[in-house]
Amino acid sequence: MNSRPIAVFDSGLGGLTVVRALRQHLPHESIVYFGDTARVPYGTKSSPTILQFAEQDCRFLMRFGPKMVIVACNTASALALDELTQKFDLPLLGVVKPGASEAVRQAHGQSIAILATEATVASQAYPRAIHELAPRTPVTQQRCPSLVPLIEEGRSSDDPIMLMLLNEYLDGIRQLDPAVVLLGCTHYPLVAEAIARLMPQANVVDSADATARWAKQMLAQMEILSLSTDPGRLRCYVSDNPQRFREIGGRFLGQAIRDVTWITPEQFFTDDSSPPANPSPASFAPAARVA
Ligand code: DGL
């Protein structure tokens, strides 16, 4: 059991920020990552669609016999974690509860602002999780639909368009004068620096780091931490465009990504429950452009 991998899934490459934190806190664990790059973004989709996608992603990862599944996508955690927990018989961890509890810890009873995708904001999952821990904490939310594509485009904390956009989004939460700004989306840690500069009085809290610490604690409590002293292996599977995942994902992971396999729809939706075979290098060719 101890040597089994931790499975992680996300709507695309953003979940690599969670993998990055996992590798810092749990360097000897092997990780199997699935990024649903064919169907990203989840943050603009309806609840039934997100539920269906999350279940399919989780089912795919079951083929690797994981000891735990981490739902790295905030949107999927917010909307699907409860259903997944009922359907799959293994420990599942999302990013909402760890993020909310870290925000509450750092807010010391003061107000908390959450930045997230449209679907995460609409689900009210973060305010609910915060109020379960601290019922009187004032909470506000701001949806930031344009941040994900701009961050993937490579616009960072110093980019003028990014700063202009962040300023506008942060205007929505400034009147609450939050003690904590909670980054409720996998992509936002990449512009945490700009958010901290624009909201100097607030602590910027990242769900990814809190989730990795929770994962470590859960594995230790269940006595299924890896016993290996070697660095854990990271294998990535994506439902489209491994080339792009490799190129852009490095910024999210904080290091180059080597092991990426493209899963075709036939491989993804098959009834076969064995792990997919590694394809030939030819499968990594970029998708042909349709004129
Ligand atoms: N991974 C998603 C999240 O954390 C952001 C990208 C998307 O909308 O799918 O909510």
Side-chain angles (χ1 to χ4, degrees):
M1 184 58 134
N2 304 58
S3 60
R4 291 190 188 183
I6 298 175
V8 180
F9 78 85
D10 178 53
S11 54
L13 46 80
L16 290 170
T17 54
V18 176
V19 172
R20 180 182 193 157
L22 283 169
R23 281 158 71 87
Q24 276 160 8
H25 290 276
L26 293 160
H28 305 299
E29 298 292 339
S30 288
I31 296 173
V32 183
Y33 180 91
F34 177 68
D36 194 6
T37 49
R39 304 189 290 191
V40 69
Y42 285 9
T44 51
K45 296 198 166 62
S46 68
S47 160
T49 300
I50 294 162
L51 270 173
Q52 187 191 29
F53 287 0
E55 189 184 333
Q56 288 165 345
D57 299 344
C58 209
R59 204 160 295 291
F60 170 73
L61 285 169
M62 288 303 120
R63 292 188 217 170
F64 298 89
K67 57 184 172 186
M68 166 189 241
V69 174
I70 297 182
V71 185
C73 179
N74 286 255
T75 306
S77 293
L79 284 123
L81 187 70
D82 291 347
E83 292 237 1
L84 295 178
T85 307
Q86 282 166 23
K87 286 195 166 136
F88 294 90
D89 188 20
L90 86 171
L92 270 127
L93 177 64
V95 290
V96 171
K97 280 198 173 161
S101 102
E102 184 57 22
V104 167
R105 195 183 70 78
Q106 292 199 28
H108 302 290
Q110 305 297 301
S111 54
I112 297 174
I114 301 141
L115 306 179
T117 65
E118 289 165 275
T120 300
V121 167
S123 76
Q124 298 287 332
Y126 270 111
R128 246 193 336 266
I130 289 168
H131 285 144
E132 263 169 32
L133 299 166
R136 276 196 271 276
T137 300
V139 175
T140 185
Q141 301 193 90
Q142 174 65 46
R143 59 195 193 94
C144 310
S146 303
L147 283 188
V148 165
L150 285 184
I151 291 169
E152 290 200 5
E153 211 179 283
R155 293 188 190 273
S156 60
S157 284
D158 298 321
D159 180 88
I161 294 178
M162 177 57 74
L163 287 171
M164 206 172 73
L165 186 70
L166 277 175
N167 234 330
E168 190 175 315
Y169 286 144
L170 294 174
D171 255 356
I173 61 170
R174 277 200 179 99
Q175 71 211 38
L176 190 71
D177 189 21
V180 165
V181 175
L182 175 56
L183 307 182
C185 173
T186 48
H187 288 58
Y188 304 169
L190 273 81
V191 289
E193 219 179 283
I195 296 169
R197 254 188 280 131
L198 294 167
M199 301 286 290
Q201 78 296 349
N203 287 358
V204 177
V205 168
D206 169 2
S207 290
D209 192 68
T211 303
R213 282 186 277 114
W214 274 46
K216 184 172 182 180
Q217 208 174 349
M218 278 172 76
L219 293 175
Q221 269 165 7
M222 292 182 289
E223 299 183 5
I224 52 173
L225 278 165
S226 168
L227 304 174
S228 167
T229 49
D230 295 331
R233 179 178 169 199
L234 170 64
R235 281 172 288 169
C236 297
Y237 294 84
V238 292
S239 51
D240 197 13
N241 212 338
Q243 208 93 352
R244 183 175 188 272
F245 182 86
R246 211 191 284 260
E247 280 163 21
I248 302 181
R251 276 194 284 123
F252 289 72
L253 185 63
Q255 65 187 85
I257 303 172
R258 268 174 262 285
D259 198 346
V260 188
T261 302
W262 176 33
I263 295 299
T264 63
E266 292 73 28
Q267 289 172 311
F268 186 69
F269 290 109
T270 180
D271 289 334
D272 184 359
S273 59
S274 54
N278 265 7
S280 66
S283 316
F284 291 138
R289 281 199 183 281
V290 180

